[in-house]
Amino acid sequence: MTRRFFLKRLGGALLTLFGVAVFVFVVLRLIPGDEITAMLGIESGTLTEVQRRALESYFGLDEPPISQFFGWLGNVMTGNLGYSMRSGVSVASLIADALPVTIELAVLSMLFGIVIGVPTGIFAATRQGKAPDVVAQSFGLIGLAIPNFVIGTFLITITASQFGYFPNAAGYVPPWEDLGLNLQQMLFPAISLGIVLAGSIMRTMRSAFLEVSTEPFVRTARGKGLSRRRVKWVVIFRNASIPVLTITGIQFGYLLGGTVVIEQIFALPGLGRLVLTAINQRELAVVQSTVLVIAAMFVIINLLVDLLYARIDPRIEIQ
Amino acid sequence: MALLEVQDLTTSIVRRSGSVPIIRNVNLNVDKGETLGIVGESGSGKSVTMLSVMGLIPSPPLAITDGAIRLKGRDLVGADEKTMQAVRGADMAMVYQDPMVSLNPVMRIGRQIEEGMTAHHVGKNEAQQRTLEVLGEVGIPDPPRVRDLYPHELSGGMRQRVMIASALALSPDLLIFDEPTTALDVTIQQQILYLVRELQRSTGVAVVWITHDLGVLARLVDRVAVMYGGRVVEVDDIEPLFSEPRHPYTEALMASVPGMHDDERAPLRQIPGSPPDVNHMPPGCPFQPRCEFAIERCTREMPPMLSHGTGESACWVPREEWK
Ligand SMILES: Nc1ncnc2c1ncn2[C@@H]1O[C@H](COP(=O)(O)OP(=O)(O)O)[C@@H](O)[C@H]1O
Ligand code: SF4
Ligand SMILES: [Mg+2]
């Protein structure tokens, strides 16, 4: 892999993050309601003009938006993500608590999607048009069509109300405290998010596998006397995994978005929940920096996908 | 015993609604060290014939529905996949039409040649050694460097040389070339042609060379099979075929190639009409709708292959009566 390729992708990633920063900053200032009102509630109505200004000045809200923006960005670069107005806790420590939850959820969902999607896609492709293919494809379509919160709610309803099983009720337990309980708490959320992923990975895997199978270079491989197994895994699968990788990278963005809702449903204290709570409380500093961190996760994953891409597909480099 | 014997080979598109033959009763023989040309317009069944021999027809929908294929006396039509794997690459190897898409894009050139050998139980070191050797034999400069390149880093001509090198790796008895130069420009065509002729001379490998260009064959092959509408309509040694074709289609093909006609001043003539569609074969001779010598019988009955001197042809009207 060339260094130029890597630097180019890195530059693109930073540009994306900057765009996200601008966007979040602007949007947050467009929603009605300000931090001081949100913090003080009804009492904010009793503030005199002077008191309010003093507070604004204390929190830096009286500065022009441009300098607020660059002040924030500058702080973020030095590792200072700001402070929650309400609790005075640093955003960095809020994120440090929430990030592992979301990462674990995302990784497990991803694993679920890949572990289910890749083998069933190949299985369906090698039985094209036959019953297993039709069944697998239908399930893939269903998986794609049902919104994740419906699946999540459905799973909770069945297990909690019918079987009295709801591991999340006890409150979130990190894996290093009780791995068994933690995985039980993560299972349903990961399935809810992973099903859609499994559906799209399965469909992409299937069609890519079928398409690559008809490529002339597959015939060349067979013509050399390679075993069916080697043709399937070394020739077809390796080539067909390229579009699957693309779709997985794209779906990761969806996955991060999905965690917001799923964390809410399953009471998981992840980034999504942090943002949602912060938005309700107009904790602009928390929202801004957390969204930026989520965007950074997305960008990092895409960077990894690109690098993986270049490893699998030697043609990437020359573009 | 011939090296390759193809007897009454019929390969069809098999569908639930029934099967449609795309090549019919094809007979071919290739002796050890012999060079056979297969010529015919696009769609006449040349590729399907030789892919059937290699066991590489896309199946489904295609399947061999009749006939026998024997390589060194071993029947390949009923052979299981294991047998075919042992034969492919080792006893016969094929070079395909489009080198741009015939190499695995994500694997280095060297690995692609080596994997053919290791599939036939050649040791890794030996395979690597042999790879450099064959890359040199096909005229690739600096084999140790090219071995580590990916296909997209090579030109079409170089890729076709790589394909040939790969085919040579296990020194098969039979090399099949399916229009290997069609996708390449003219100077490269000449070089590849020259290369194959040299290889043929130095190794004594038997060659089947598929082409739609009769002109190419003069400098390359001993014998020619002319295919039309999925059938072999004429087979003969190269000289008698060129000087006295016994089938009107061969004659017409020659008239359409520059510098091949008896009468150099005669203008080039394209064959009027178009080749038959496998789904709508005429009941009698497949060439009848386009044949200027057709008689009434041609519309009803398929002419059988009849011997004459060195060759055979399938036409109701002898050459002497063409007018
Ligand atoms: N996979 C396939 N499915 C259906 N028809 C095919 C297939 N492959 C080849 N054919 C048909 O078989 C005929 C002969 O094809 P081919 O052997 O490729 O011709 P040639 O190599 O002489 O140009 C053509 O009419 C083509 O349409
Ligand atoms: S059999 Fe009849 S139609 Fe066919 S090539 Fe001979 S003369 Fe022409
Ligand atoms: Mg062809």
Side-chain angles (χ1 to χ4, degrees):
Chain A
M1 175 164 347
T2 60
R3 172 184 278 147
R4 231 182 94 226
F5 170 78
F6 181 75
L7 288 179
K8 234 165 82 181
R9 290 300 145 102
L10 197 64
L14 290 177
L15 213 62
T16 309
L17 282 182
F18 184 77
V20 170
V22 171
F23 183 76
V24 175
F25 188 87
V26 170
V27 166
L28 283 182
R29 271 143 196 88
L30 290 182
I31 14 177
D34 62 81
E35 291 157 293
I36 294 167
T37 315
M39 182 171 66
L40 300 178
I42 293 182
E43 283 169 42
S44 67
T46 65
L47 287 176
T48 66
E49 194 62 12
V50 178
Q51 282 173 317
R52 177 174 274 275
R53 275 224 211 97
L55 275 173
E56 282 180 356
S57 153
Y58 176 71
F59 290 117
L61 299 173
D62 57 344
E63 288 180 45
I66 289 284
S67 73
Q68 279 189 42
F69 176 73
F70 283 104
W72 167 53
L73 218 56
N75 283 338
V76 167
M77 303 255 208
T78 59
N80 174 8
L81 300 181
Y83 291 87
S84 156
M85 281 187 168
R86 216 164 258 251
S87 58
V89 179
S90 76
V91 177
S93 77
L94 288 176
I95 288 177
D97 287 340
L99 187 62
V101 179
T102 301
I103 289 185
E104 189 189 359
L105 180 57
V107 167
L108 288 178
S109 313
M110 210 78 173
L111 275 180
F112 180 84
I114 293 169
V115 165
I116 301 291
V118 169
T120 48
I122 295 175
F123 184 80
T126 49
R127 284 156 191 78
Q128 188 192 8
K130 304 208 176 95
D133 181 26
V134 177
V135 172
Q137 283 216 75
S138 314
F139 273 105
L141 208 57
I142 293 172
L144 278 181
I146 306 180
N148 52 47
F149 61 87
V150 174
I151 298 174
T153 317
F154 174 78
L155 286 173
I156 286 188
T157 316
I158 296 282
T159 57
S161 66
Q162 298 301 310
F163 301 100
Y165 174 73
F166 189 55
N168 302 56
Y172 172 76
V173 178
W176 50 87
E177 275 175 26
D178 185 345
L179 185 62
L181 182 56
N182 171 271
L183 286 180
Q184 288 185 54
Q185 294 182 335
M186 283 294 183
L187 182 67
F188 289 149
I191 289 179
S192 310
L193 280 173
I195 279 182
V196 182
L197 204 60
S200 67
I201 288 180
M202 180 254 156
R203 292 172 64 82
T204 312
M205 187 76 245
R206 177 186 177 278
S207 63
F209 197 92
L210 285 175
E211 206 178 300
V212 174
S213 301
T214 64
E215 295 280 354
F217 62 78
V218 175
R219 185 179 59 195
T220 306
R222 292 216 297 135
K224 287 188 286 198
L226 303 195
S227 66
R228 276 188 194 282
R229 214 162 92 227
R230 194 174 159 90
V231 171
K232 182 171 169 183
W233 294 108
V234 177
V235 183
I236 303 179
F237 176 69
R238 178 107 192 269
N239 279 280
S241 62
I242 296 170
V244 175
L245 195 60
T246 313
I247 208 75
T248 310
I250 293 171
Q251 290 286 335
F252 190 79
Y254 147 82
L255 200 66
L256 287 179
T259 56
V260 176
V261 178
I262 291 298
E263 284 172 2
Q264 203 65 22
I265 295 178
F266 289 92
L268 296 173
L271 288 181
R273 216 158 146 213
L274 181 61
V275 173
L276 216 58
T277 318
I279 289 176
N280 285 334
Q281 299 174 347
R282 297 293 182 277
E283 290 261 33
L284 298 197
V286 180
V287 179
Q288 273 173 192
S289 297
T290 312
V291 169
L292 205 56
V293 167
I294 294 178
M297 277 175 74
F298 179 68
V299 165
I300 288 170
I301 285 293
N302 273 285
L303 208 59
L304 287 179
V305 165
D306 277 347
L307 296 183
L308 206 56
Y309 236 157
R311 273 202 69 80
I312 295 185
D313 190 346
R315 290 163 297 187
I316 297 288
E317 281 182 39
I318 52 163
Q319 298 164 4
Chain B
M1 179 181 66
L3 173 66
L4 173 71
E5 292 171 273
V6 175
Q7 266 176 14
D8 282 324
L9 181 67
T10 299
T11 299
S12 312
I13 308 172
V14 180
R15 297 214 181 85
R16 224 167 288 169
S17 53
S19 68
V20 180
I22 51 183
I23 59 164
R24 296 181 202 225
N25 306 325
V26 169
N27 288 286
L28 293 172
N29 274 305
V30 183
D31 288 327
K32 236 175 150 10
E34 189 187 27
T35 304
L36 172 76
I38 302 181
V39 70
E41 284 164 298
S42 172
S44 55
K46 308 179 296 291
S47 298
V48 168
T49 302
M50 291 321 290
L51 287 172
S52 299
V53 169
M54 289 286 292
L56 292 177
I57 46 172
S59 123
L62 305 192
I64 295 174
T65 43
D66 199 11
I69 298 168
R70 274 184 292 274
L71 187 73
K72 299 199 273 189
R74 181 198 243 169
D75 187 16
L76 297 186
V77 170
D80 58 8
E81 179 64 19
K82 273 267 166 293
T83 309
M84 287 312 291
Q85 281 169 15
V87 170
R88 287 186 204 125
D91 295 320
M92 59 180 170
M94 189 154 170
V95 174
Y96 310 87
Q97 183 160 353
D98 191 350
M100 304 311 274
V101 291
S102 294
L103 286 162
N104 186 346
V106 304
M107 192 185 272
R108 291 180 204 278
I109 298 298
R111 287 279 316 281
Q112 299 196 43
I113 300 177
E114 286 159 25
E115 72 174 349
M117 287 185 270
T118 43
H120 292 91
H121 314 295
V122 175
K124 210 171 148 76
N125 287 339
E126 202 183 333
Q128 285 174 348
Q129 207 52 46
R130 177 74 178 145
T131 296
L132 293 178
E133 206 173 290
V134 286
L135 283 174
E137 270 175 48
V138 298
I140 284 180
D142 199 0
R145 191 183 68 88
V146 172
R147 173 184 64 179
D148 292 332
L149 297 181
Y150 286 100
H152 72 264
E153 297 172 289
L154 295 176
S155 68
M158 279 295 149
R159 288 190 217 186
Q160 200 59 300
R161 283 176 196 267
V162 168
M163 293 294 295
I164 297 172
S166 175
L168 287 175
L170 290 158
S171 311
D173 304 289
L174 176 66
L175 283 180
I176 301 163
F177 292 88
D178 188 355
E179 309 205 34
T181 60
T182 307
L184 307 175
D185 68 49
V186 182
T187 42
I188 310 292
Q189 278 187 30
Q190 297 301 326
Q191 292 171 9
I192 299 273
L193 217 62
Y194 179 78
L195 168 69
V196 173
R197 207 165 50 185
E198 286 308 304
L199 286 172
Q200 210 265 332
R201 275 185 198 148
S202 60
T203 62
V205 64
V207 167
V208 172
W209 184 279
I210 297 176
T211 180
H212 62 265
D213 179 2
L214 206 49
V216 169
L217 294 178
R219 283 166 290 151
L220 193 68
V221 306
D222 307 316
R223 217 170 148 75
V224 180
V226 180
M227 288 193 73
Y228 188 83
R231 293 176 191 266
V232 175
V233 293
E234 178 163 15
V235 191
D236 208 341
D237 290 346
I238 183 100
E239 273 114 37
L241 185 98
F242 277 5
S243 58
E244 276 210 331
R246 305 297 184 107
H247 196 283
Y249 178 61
T250 314
E251 172 89 5
L253 265 186
M254 284 170 54
S256 68
V257 177
M260 280 220 50
H261 207 47
D262 298 342
D263 184 353
E264 291 288 339
R265 285 155 305 171
L268 288 181
R269 287 186 310 140
Q270 286 305 309
I271 308 172
S274 52
D277 169 6
V278 289
N279 294 303
H280 305 97
M281 277 294 164
C285 170
F287 191 53
Q288 178 271 325
R290 302 168 78 187
C291 182
E292 49 182 324
F293 312 121
I295 55 175
E296 196 269 335
R297 189 177 192 183
C298 305
T299 61
R300 284 184 287 109
E301 281 178 78
M302 174 66 206
M305 281 291 261
L306 295 178
S307 310
H308 48 76
T310 50
E312 288 174 55
S313 69
C315 177
W316 290 124
V317 183
R319 186 177 168 81
E320 298 72 44
E321 292 169 30
W322 291 355
K323 51 182 181 307

